[in-house]
Amino acid sequence: MKKFILLFHIVLLFHFATLAQILNVESQRILQDSTGWVGKADISFNLTSNQEKVIDLASAFHLQYRKKNHTFMLLGGAGMIRAGKNDFDNSGHVHLRHNYDLNKWLTWEAFAQGQYNRVLMIDHRELFGTGPRFQLVNSGQSKLYTAALYMFENEALTEDLGTRTNHRLSSYVAFNWKLNDHIAMNNIMYFQPVISDFANHRIMIQSGLKIKISKILGFSVNFSLLNDSNPPPGIRNTVYSVRNGLEVRL
């Protein structure tokens, strides 16, 4: 049992570590035609006491407001997984984004983000960015978006490893495809190089497949991969996760 619990939390570590470096905002957009507020919030707490005490705490919220050509998003979340005296996750983030629709295919974005991840040795990181987002395809069954934003990054590492400041390009390509009423796919790739040195970069890929088996039962497969060419000392360049799940709707 102890080995199973440890393996379970190591898998969660890879999942949270991937998400903590680059926040996939595209997957959290709420389609909203009417004006006004929409939102959601989640919180979970699990406590397991075996040979060691395991604490699993996670929370997330999403607020979105739309008026005419303006859309505002406020995202946040925090997580902690602790087994005995060891942390397998200790991270959090807050993200604010403003979208202004210039026309049907061009949107101007601006954002600010704060985050931390003690496991990945990030004491705190501040991001500020702005740039254009393009809608290349919107056929109902498939949607394709791309963006190229300037991003300023200030990052302080734990254990007195210093502070790093960079000017990055934050670009992404997002593709959503609904094959039919039963099968849907979503894919996104982020590329965030330092503008003066493209060899210093981060790449994140996330892909998801959802299959509707019946009116109440569904199956999903999700893959996430992050490659950081210049991580903090002792941190792996590449982390990834594969998650399978069943969804039951009553």
Side-chain angles (χ1 to χ4, degrees):
M1 177 62 73
K2 183 179 179 181
K3 290 183 178 179
F4 172 78
I5 293 175
L6 181 60
L7 178 61
F8 173 74
H9 284 95
I10 289 175
V11 172
L12 282 179
L13 165 64
F14 289 150
H15 171 55
F16 280 114
T18 302
L19 297 183
Q21 281 277 22
I22 301 176
L23 180 63
N24 187 353
V25 177
E26 193 67 24
S27 67
Q28 300 191 50
R29 297 180 188 270
I30 298 176
L31 296 179
Q32 184 182 6
D33 295 327
S34 59
T35 61
W37 292 92
V38 293
K40 59 182 179 180
D42 300 287
I43 186 168
S44 65
F45 175 77
N46 297 292
L47 175 63
T48 302
S49 181
N50 195 355
Q51 296 185 36
E52 290 186 345
K53 183 182 292 184
V54 180
I55 300 174
D56 182 352
L57 175 65
S59 62
F61 67 87
H62 181 165
L63 291 175
Q64 186 168 305
Y65 176 77
R66 180 173 178 81
K67 183 177 182 180
K68 295 182 179 180
N69 294 351
H70 297 271
T71 302
F72 297 89
M73 287 190 295
L74 179 61
L75 313 173
M80 183 184 71
I81 301 175
R82 177 170 296 169
K85 297 182 179 180
N86 299 315
D87 283 345
F88 290 92
D89 178 51
N90 187 351
S91 62
H93 67 272
V94 175
H95 182 97
L96 176 64
R97 181 169 295 240
H98 173 225
N99 285 4
Y100 180 73
D101 297 330
L102 297 170
N103 52 49
K104 291 183 178 181
W105 56 270
L106 177 59
T107 298
W108 196 267
E109 296 191 312
F111 69 88
Q113 179 175 314
Q115 65 185 125
Y116 69 91
N117 190 313
R118 303 290 189 263
V119 175
L120 296 183
M121 303 179 70
I122 300 172
D123 185 67
H124 61 87
R125 176 191 288 164
E126 294 80 38
L127 306 173
F128 303 91
T130 186
R133 176 175 184 263
F134 304 92
Q135 178 179 272
L136 303 181
V137 177
N138 187 358
S139 66
Q141 296 295 102
S142 59
K143 296 180 180 181
L144 177 63
Y145 299 93
T146 188
L149 285 67
Y150 161 79
M151 182 173 73
F152 173 78
E153 173 187 73
N154 180 67
E155 178 181 80
L157 303 178
T158 60
E159 301 183 9
D160 298 323
L161 291 176
T163 301
R164 304 189 294 189
T165 300
N166 290 303
H167 301 272
R168 291 184 181 269
L169 171 69
S170 181
S171 60
Y172 63 83
V173 177
F175 176 63
N176 300 320
W177 181 36
K178 185 178 180 181
L179 180 60
N180 50 46
D181 292 337
H182 299 277
I183 301 175
M185 297 180 61
N186 60 84
N187 305 275
I188 188 166
M189 182 177 75
Y190 284 86
F191 180 53
Q192 295 183 341
V194 173
I195 293 176
S196 60
D197 180 14
F198 269 46
N200 185 350
H201 60 261
R202 298 190 190 103
I203 298 174
M204 186 180 79
I205 300 172
Q206 288 191 345
S207 297
L209 171 66
K210 290 186 177 183
I211 301 175
K212 183 180 178 181
I213 301 173
S214 67
K215 291 183 179 180
I216 64 171
L217 185 63
F219 176 74
S220 65
V221 181
N222 295 279
F223 172 76
S224 299
L225 181 144
L226 171 71
N227 176 267
D228 189 342
S229 66
N230 187 31
I235 302 300
R236 296 173 56 184
N237 291 85
T238 303
V239 293
Y240 65 90
S241 71
V242 178
R243 295 176 292 121
N244 303 313
L246 287 174
E247 182 181 90
V248 178
R249 295 186 178 184
L250 301 177

